[in-house]
Amino acid sequence: MRKQHGGGNVQVFRITGARTGLQEDVRGRQRRYVISMTVRTISVILAATLWNVERHVAIVALVLGLVLPYVAVVIANAGRENAPSLPSTFVAPPVRPMISPSAPADGPAESGAEDAVSEPVPGARGDTPER
């Protein structure tokens, strides 16, 4: 077995930021729908039972029985949860600071381009240093 080294630029994701599975999501939405339709059935039966006894409670139960199916269908068809945002689930590798060149102590810094023109680097552009 071979180990592959990423060189520090491998993206790492936390599993705690992952979505729930599709089956679990559908099962949860079905459970919420069945519960809300059970509440609706109970409220319609309550409205029919209390119509001649307590009319105000029966009207509230009837309105609940009429509105609840619409709300249950909208909630059941709302879709999956939002995906977590990438920055909260992405673990960035640590950034190593660059070493900057030291500034000369005798005055203001000159541009590096002038130094590069006046002093050629041995071995640059195919030149070989003299021995």
Side-chain angles (χ1 to χ4, degrees):
M1 220 197 260
R2 234 175 23 165
K3 286 187 178 182
Q4 295 180 356
H5 297 287
N9 58 0
V10 177
Q11 292 182 350
V12 179
F13 294 92
R14 287 188 231 146
I15 192 64
T16 55
R19 288 181 169 186
T20 58
L22 182 61
Q23 274 186 326
E24 293 174 27
D25 185 55
V26 169
R27 191 176 317 128
R29 287 190 281 146
Q30 286 175 344
R31 187 179 309 121
R32 286 190 297 268
Y33 182 77
V34 167
I35 289 170
S36 63
M37 294 313 289
T38 303
V39 170
R40 180 215 183 226
T41 303
I42 291 171
S43 67
V44 168
I45 292 172
L46 187 66
T49 305
L50 295 177
W51 189 256
N52 289 330
V53 179
E54 189 68 40
R55 181 94 27 135
H56 298 292
V57 176
I59 291 173
V60 169
L62 189 62
V63 168
L64 182 65
L66 292 174
V67 172
L68 201 53
Y70 173 75
V71 173
V73 168
V74 168
I75 291 173
N77 291 329
R80 295 192 71 182
E81 63 193 27
N82 291 333
S85 61
L86 188 60
S88 66
T89 60
F90 180 70
V91 179
V95 178
R96 295 182 182 169
M98 291 179 48
I99 299 174
S100 61
S102 61
D106 60 346
E110 295 180 11
S111 68
E114 293 173 3
D115 293 337
V117 172
S118 62
E119 299 175 20
V121 177
R125 290 185 248 150
D127 297 338
T128 57
E130 295 180 26
R131 295 183 185 194

